[in-house]
Amino acid sequence: MEARRILEPLLENADIKIDGTRPWDIQVHDDRLYKKIFQQGTLGIGEAYMDGWWDCQAMDVMFCKAIKAHLESKFSLNSLPGHLLSLWQAIFNLQTSDKSREVAKKHYDFGNDMFEWMLGPTMNYSCAYWRNADNLDAAQNAKMDLICRKLYLEPGMKVLDIGCGWGSLAMYMASHYDVKVTGISISREQIEYARNRDTVGKIEWVLDDYRSLQDKYDRIVSVGMFEHVGYKNYGSFMREVRNLLNPAGLFLLHTIGANHQRKGTYPWVDKYIFPNGMLPSEENLTKAFVDLFIMEDWQNFGADYDKTLMCWAARFEEGCEQKRFKCDERTRRMFRYYLLSCAGGFRARDMQLWQVVLSPYGVPGGYVSVR
């Protein structure tokens, strides 16, 4: 059990024990886990959990401790899957128009019944804003209103929502601010769902890639989509938005961000959750819009994603228990691992959530920040 002898002091350095008694200690059911971790890194850890090789009562706490101790760097960088994924994403553009549809088929088209239960009535699959909210639905509505106020929407404006999801923000903008919205997504399930629940009647729903658009808009917003663009396409994304935006317009980007630029994502996340995904760093995001936009506002409320993810995890487990949607045990463990590991990542402040407001030429007299 040489692998276990090597692993134990690494875990103890993060205040995690194997077969310990605390909620964040891991319980090992299959000794093959230790070798798999050193051979496959974070991919092996995630797959072993899905297969029932180990458990942890408070996985979010365990991941927070592990990330703060930088354990992932000791496994991911030395594993073959991690090396291959980094090399593959460095050489090839995995976020082309055709490849961008992979994440829709694999994740967002998983099933609306599951997402309805997990996300709740707002159907917002992005970080909620908890400053003055005491429950998830109120926090998601607060996030949508925050976006609208930051965009300074006025009746009759033409608004483009890039990556509109299930249409909640588009409908909120149209119904509360009397604007004309175009919502675009590459997910067939999401667009059909949005069309069916649209009672506003002022929204054009488009099943396509944003790069196909030709019109001009007064305001553009993109929430939770930039994570799928990839660093090779950051500049072209910003140029496309600039071409679609009227000279006096505003663009709001809502995206998860990384403290350091990653040329890819963790192999397990890439394989099971978000194929070809990539988080931008502050430096790479800024490089993408320099000479195209003036940065009017930049807000970070990444700590709010921890609470959001914990609510999603609780709702997901409740839906599984009540059999509100079809989900076998391996898939259930996959979603649990995904939601709680991400919660731990945001709690450790390893990831951020940014809302950036950009204008082509600068707001006359200056932009007034909204919080």
Side-chain angles (χ1 to χ4, degrees), residues 71-278:
L71 291 188
E72 77 281 0
S73 64
K74 296 177 173 62
F75 304 134
S76 300
L77 297 180
N78 296 320
S79 68
L80 181 59
H83 279 305
L84 291 177
L85 181 59
S86 295
L87 179 63
W88 194 255
Q89 292 182 321
I91 296 174
F92 299 104
N93 185 354
L94 301 183
Q95 291 84 16
T96 62
S97 180
D98 289 338
K99 288 185 176 294
S100 67
R101 289 171 168 80
E102 291 180 19
V103 68
K105 294 176 182 177
K106 186 147 195 171
H107 191 75
Y108 295 109
D109 292 348
F110 181 83
N112 290 333
D113 52 351
M114 187 279 287
F115 283 111
E116 280 182 327
W117 193 266
M118 185 175 87
L119 304 179
T122 68
M123 286 297 280
N124 269 248
Y125 200 15
S126 57
C127 183
Y129 190 55
W130 289 89
R131 175 170 291 190
N132 297 310
D134 58 5
N135 64 76
L136 179 62
D137 297 336
Q140 290 291 15
N141 280 307
K143 184 267 301 294
M144 290 191 287
D145 194 60
L146 178 69
I147 290 171
C148 293
R149 289 185 291 119
K150 284 184 176 182
L151 286 171
Y152 285 91
L153 297 180
E154 297 178 6
M157 281 183 169
K158 289 179 61 177
V159 182
L160 172 63
D161 184 355
I162 300 177
C164 64
W166 291 275
S168 297
L169 177 59
M171 285 182 269
Y172 189 95
M173 291 189 292
S175 61
H176 287 75
Y177 288 84
D178 194 23
V179 293
K180 299 176 182 178
V181 185
T182 297
I184 188 167
S185 172
I186 56 174
S187 168
R188 185 176 300 276
E189 288 279 342
Q190 288 184 329
I191 288 295
E192 289 180 357
Y193 184 92
R195 284 194 182 118
N196 290 335
R197 69 193 288 246
D198 179 12
T199 59
V200 182
K202 298 179 182 178
I203 305 167
E204 178 187 10
W205 302 107
V206 180
L207 176 63
D208 208 339
D209 189 276
Y210 70 95
R211 286 164 279 204
S212 69
L213 296 172
Q214 301 293 327
D215 209 345
K216 290 285 187 180
Y217 301 89
D218 301 304
R219 299 289 188 266
I220 298 178
V221 60
S222 182
V223 177
M225 177 270 183
F226 197 71
E227 298 90 333
H228 306 297
V229 169
Y231 78 103
K232 290 180 180 291
N233 304 300
Y234 291 161
S236 60
F237 174 88
M238 290 295 177
R239 287 190 295 273
E240 188 67 29
V241 171
R242 179 64 184 82
N243 290 334
L244 293 169
L245 189 62
N246 283 326
L250 290 174
F251 169 47
L252 186 145
L253 179 68
H254 174 118
T255 182
I256 299 171
N259 296 332
H260 307 284
Q261 183 59 50
R262 302 168 181 170
K263 291 297 189 291
T265 188
Y266 296 118
W268 185 87
V269 175
D270 181 77
K271 183 175 181 179
Y272 291 99
I273 306 298
F274 298 123
N276 309 322
M278 189 176 297

